[in-house]
């Protein structure tokens, strides 16, 4: 039995470590410099809804610079960080995820992003040189990751053999597109060291958007659910990006691509810092299977909806809920 001495931990679920222990070796790796990248992306989205990209062209130094700025923010006294909160839903949050009762061993900063790199929530807690370095790193990072997302989505269209090439990417790169950027910090939890349990860092869920582009430090914690429902741990790689297919992409492909269910566990051994850029379409965009992908006589598995309607439904749900279930025919 694990006895938790911190009252705050009583509200956060424990997760038994998966068997077999260790990291999953089957995560698809897509080398963007290779001629088979488009085909590999499609295979990965069909089987896992998740993959790692290498040779992405974004300097590791840029990733580390933003990570260092994030670490500096999360190292501030709580009273200072809370000047950027509470998260409703944007801003600084600690343990409470959303407004519907989900809790996790995580503190985070959630920012609204448009295609204009300077558009993000002000950092009230950061002043002087700290604020300047944070904003500079953030602006450069967002611009680079936006280009990467566009490249990946155009390769998906190529692999699916549909035209135009930007049929998916244009949904998330217009000035009206709804982007969200999240910085997560999962602190160590020494009380769990040596046990066969981890704390829920961020509970199991799928992402509502089209795709999410994630980068983390070299700490473990990210897990994905396979088709058979089993959970596996993803090997960390601070020099690469991990990409999730989201609910909207599953609908756009009429279920051909899989929106991956994933979670983060905090094992108490080390601090994990992750940065996720969620690429959503404009609020008025109607989400339905792409006509170019529909076979003769094939019917949509989903009711058509706008991104605004789906996002509002997502915010009313718990993390683990099957949000797409409300829109299935």
């Amino acid at each position: 039995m694990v006895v938790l001495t911190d009252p705050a931990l009583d509200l956060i679920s424990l997760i038994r470590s998966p068997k077999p222990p260790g990291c999953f070796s089957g995560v698809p790796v897509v080398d963007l410099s290779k001629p088979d990248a488009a085909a590999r992306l499609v295979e990965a989205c069909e089987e896992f809804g998740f993959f790692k990209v290498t040779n992405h062209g974004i300097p590791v130094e840029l990733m580390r610079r933003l990570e260092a700025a994030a670490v500096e923010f999360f190292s501030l006294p709580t009273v200072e960080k809370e000047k950027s909160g509470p998260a409703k839903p944007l801003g600084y949050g600690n343990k409470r995820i959303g407004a519907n009762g989900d809790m996790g061993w995580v503190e985070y900063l959630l920012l609204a992003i448009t295609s204009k790199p300077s558009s993000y929530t002000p950092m009230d807690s950061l002043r002087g040189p700290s604020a300047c370095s944070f904003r500079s790193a953030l602006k450069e990072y967002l611009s680079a990751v936006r280009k990467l997302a566009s490249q990946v989505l155009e390769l998906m269209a190529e692999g699916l053999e549909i035209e135009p090439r930007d049929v998916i990417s244009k949904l998330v790169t217009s000035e009206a597109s709804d982007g969200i950027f999240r910085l997560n910090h999962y602190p160590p939890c020494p009380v769990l060291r040596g046990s066969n349990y981890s704390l829920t860092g961020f509970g199991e869920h799928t992402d509502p958007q089209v795709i999410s582009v994630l980068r983390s430090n070299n700490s473990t914690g990210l897990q994905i659910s396979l088709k058979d429902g089993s959970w596996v741990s993803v090997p960390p790689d601070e020099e690469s990006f991990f990409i999730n297919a989201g609910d909207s992409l599953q609908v756009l492909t009429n279920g051909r691509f899989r929106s991956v269910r994933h979670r983060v566990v905090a094992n108490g051994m080390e601090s994990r810092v992750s940065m996720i850029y969620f690429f959503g379409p404009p609020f008025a965009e109607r989400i339905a299977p792409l006509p170019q992908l529909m076979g003769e006589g094939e019917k949509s598995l989903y009711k058509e909806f706008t991104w605004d309607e789906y996002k509002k439904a997502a915010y009313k749900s718990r993390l683990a809920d099957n949000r797409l279930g409300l829109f299935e025919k």
Side-chain angles (χ1 to χ4, degrees):
M1 176 183 293
V2 178
V3 179
L4 302 179
T5 56
D6 184 342
L9 301 181
D10 291 338
L11 302 175
I12 301 173
S13 301
L14 286 172
I15 297 174
R16 185 182 290 274
S17 300
K19 295 180 180 180
C23 289
F24 180 59
S25 61
V27 173
V29 179
V30 180
D31 183 339
L32 295 181
S33 69
K34 296 290 181 65
D36 66 346
R40 294 292 300 276
L41 285 174
V42 170
E43 292 171 3
C45 287
E46 290 177 339
E47 180 63 25
F48 295 96
F50 180 84
F51 52 92
K52 179 170 81 172
V53 293
T54 61
N55 282 316
H56 45 71
I58 299 178
V60 176
E61 292 73 21
L62 173 58
M63 306 181 211
R64 290 176 177 159
R65 187 153 61 93
L66 182 55
E67 179 190 329
V71 169
E72 184 175 358
F73 172 81
F74 289 123
S75 298
L76 290 171
T78 300
V79 67
E80 291 298 316
K81 290 182 285 191
E82 287 180 343
K83 291 178 181 178
S84 291
K88 294 183 177 180
L90 302 175
Y92 173 76
N94 188 3
K95 298 185 180 71
R96 189 175 301 279
I97 303 169
N100 302 307
D102 288 295
M103 302 288 289
W105 189 248
V106 62
E107 58 176 340
Y108 59 90
L109 198 57
L110 195 61
L111 313 176
I113 307 295
T114 71
S115 62
K116 298 177 181 178
S118 60
S119 247
Y120 48 83
T121 303
M123 299 291 93
D124 292 339
S125 298
L126 296 176
R127 306 178 190 282
S130 294
C132 290
S133 62
F134 194 112
R135 291 173 183 275
S136 173
L138 182 60
K139 181 177 180 180
E140 191 175 349
Y141 181 88
L142 293 176
S143 177
V145 174
R146 189 177 297 111
K147 291 176 183 175
L148 171 62
S150 182
Q151 178 187 6
V152 166
L153 291 172
E154 289 183 5
L155 283 170
M156 282 184 186
E158 179 184 324
L160 289 167
E161 299 180 347
I162 56 176
E163 294 285 350
R165 184 178 167 86
D166 67 349
V167 64
I168 305 174
S169 66
K170 68 182 181 182
L171 297 177
V172 301
T173 54
S174 74
E175 288 197 3
S177 297
D178 177 38
I180 296 288
F181 186 67
R182 175 183 281 274
L183 290 164
N184 288 334
H185 173 229
Y186 303 92
C189 185
V191 71
L192 290 179
R193 289 178 183 172
S195 76
N196 196 34
Y197 289 86
S198 298
L199 275 173
T200 296
F202 209 105
E204 65 172 274
H205 63 286
T206 59
D207 295 336
Q209 291 85 359
V210 178
I211 61 169
S212 311
V213 181
L214 176 145
R215 186 267 176 188
S216 72
N217 61 359
N218 261 340
S219 298
T220 58
L222 177 62
Q223 298 181 348
I224 62 171
S225 178
L226 304 181
K227 282 184 175 180
D228 63 5
S230 62
W231 288 94
V232 294
S233 295
V234 176
D237 183 350
E238 67 176 356
E239 296 187 359
S240 301
F241 288 92
F242 294 92
I243 297 182
N244 300 334
D247 296 344
S248 296
L249 187 59
Q250 180 170 315
V251 174
L252 289 169
T253 60
N254 204 31
R256 180 171 173 181
F257 286 0
R258 179 172 173 255
S259 181
V260 63
R261 185 163 287 268
H262 55 288
R263 67 188 183 190
V264 176
V265 300
N267 62 17
M269 299 302 292
E270 52 194 352
S271 176
R272 175 180 168 86
V273 177
S274 61
M275 311 181 290
I276 313 101
Y277 195 158
F278 301 91
F279 287 88
F283 284 102
E285 186 71 35
R286 303 201 69 81
I287 309 298
L290 295 168
Q292 301 95 314
L293 287 175
M294 301 293 280
E296 186 177 350
E298 182 179 357
K299 295 183 178 179
S300 173
L301 301 176
Y302 307 95
K303 306 169 189 174
E304 186 175 295
F305 53 85
T306 65
W307 170 240
D308 184 52
E309 290 169 337
Y310 193 63
K311 188 172 183 178
K312 286 178 178 176
Y315 277 131
K316 292 177 182 177
S317 66
R318 297 290 298 267
L319 280 176
D321 290 347
N322 175 19
R323 303 181 184 111
L324 274 181
L326 297 173
F327 298 89
E328 291 173 351
K329 287 186 175 179

